[in-house]
Amino acid sequence: MDFNPVYISLKTTVCASCITYVLGILSAYLVLRIRNRKIRHIMDVILTLPLVLPPTVAGFFLLYLFGNRRPLGILIQQLFGQKVVFTWAATVIAAVVVSFPLMYRSVKAGFEQLNQSIVEEAKMLGLGGFGMLWRILVPCTMPAILSGTVLSTTRALGEFGATAMLAGNISGKTRTLSLAVYSEVAAGNMDIAGYYVAIILVVAFLAVMVLNVKGDHSDIKL
């Protein structure tokens, strides 16, 4: 059994989760600060769109943006001397794009449900801007943020379509666990594919357990 897909997936998931954590919180905060309701609604739709698009469609758009002959892809090559397509960085970008909406929606819901009096009191104390975000909003909505983090992390771990489009399925370089399952099944190695599936199942099971333990505070009995 090749453990490279496990290592690549874990490395990709950790990096993608850190990026998604910051981007999800900042995006939710900035969108809610938009006063024009129509613009806020449009931005909300755009940021949520990767959640409902087929992963291969998201991968197509990423390939269109970061392709070696596209302006953004050329700019990155000129600045960093490294292309994006078919590299490990591409696995991170794909994972961030498909998992971001889960983090964004969870954080935004948490911010919207926060008692407005807390926000008003913080404003009276002179807090504003990012001080309000990191000292009031984030600590007060940590359960929602943790839920978004767990969901987006497991989504990043299981990403397949966008990764295959942008990063390819290169053994030892961009082959994640999901791609490894596909490759082994295609090659007829069902036992090895089963090992990879077991790893994904264990991680998914633990993630759901974390969500259930965190959310199981109700005393209601039916």
Side-chain angles (χ1 to χ4, degrees), residues 2-184:
D2 182 11
F3 284 96
N4 277 321
V6 180
Y7 171 70
I8 293 171
S9 285
L10 291 177
K11 184 170 66 169
T12 298
T13 301
V14 169
C15 291
S17 297
C18 292
I19 296 171
T20 303
Y21 180 87
V22 176
L23 288 182
I25 293 174
L26 290 177
S27 298
Y29 176 68
L30 293 174
V31 167
L32 290 177
R33 283 176 62 90
I34 298 175
R35 298 192 179 278
N36 188 300
R37 296 188 63 175
K38 289 184 179 180
I39 296 177
R40 184 167 68 243
H41 179 69
I42 292 173
M43 289 301 302
D44 184 61
V45 171
I46 292 174
L47 294 176
T48 307
L49 200 57
L51 183 64
V52 296
L53 284 176
T56 50
V57 174
F60 170 82
F61 283 114
L62 290 175
L63 193 59
Y64 189 85
L65 288 173
F66 293 100
N68 297 334
R69 296 184 180 180
R70 297 296 174 182
L72 186 55
I74 294 173
L75 178 62
I76 292 175
Q77 289 186 60
Q78 292 176 344
L79 291 177
F80 303 102
Q82 179 66 47
K83 65 179 183 179
V84 174
V85 179
F86 301 137
T87 65
W88 173 75
T91 67
V92 177
I93 293 173
V96 168
V97 169
V98 299
S99 63
F100 166 81
L102 291 169
M103 184 68 184
Y104 164 74
R105 298 295 300 184
S106 295
V107 176
K108 181 170 175 285
F111 287 172
E112 290 173 335
Q113 293 172 10
L114 185 64
N115 192 326
Q116 189 63 28
S117 63
I118 298 177
V119 177
E120 295 300 329
E121 290 176 6
K123 289 180 179 179
M124 291 176 60
L125 293 174
L127 282 178
F130 290 105
M132 172 79 73
L133 172 63
W134 297 113
R135 297 180 63 180
I136 302 297
L137 296 180
V138 169
C140 291
T141 57
M142 190 53 66
I145 292 174
L146 290 177
S147 294
T149 300
V150 172
L151 291 172
S152 61
T153 297
T154 52
R155 180 66 185 87
L157 178 66
E159 164 50 27
F160 176 83
T163 302
M165 293 286 287
L166 186 64
N169 186 8
I170 306 172
S171 180
K173 187 176 181 180
T174 65
R175 180 174 293 174
T176 60
L177 277 170
S178 296
L179 290 169
V181 171
Y182 173 81
S183 299
E184 297 301 338

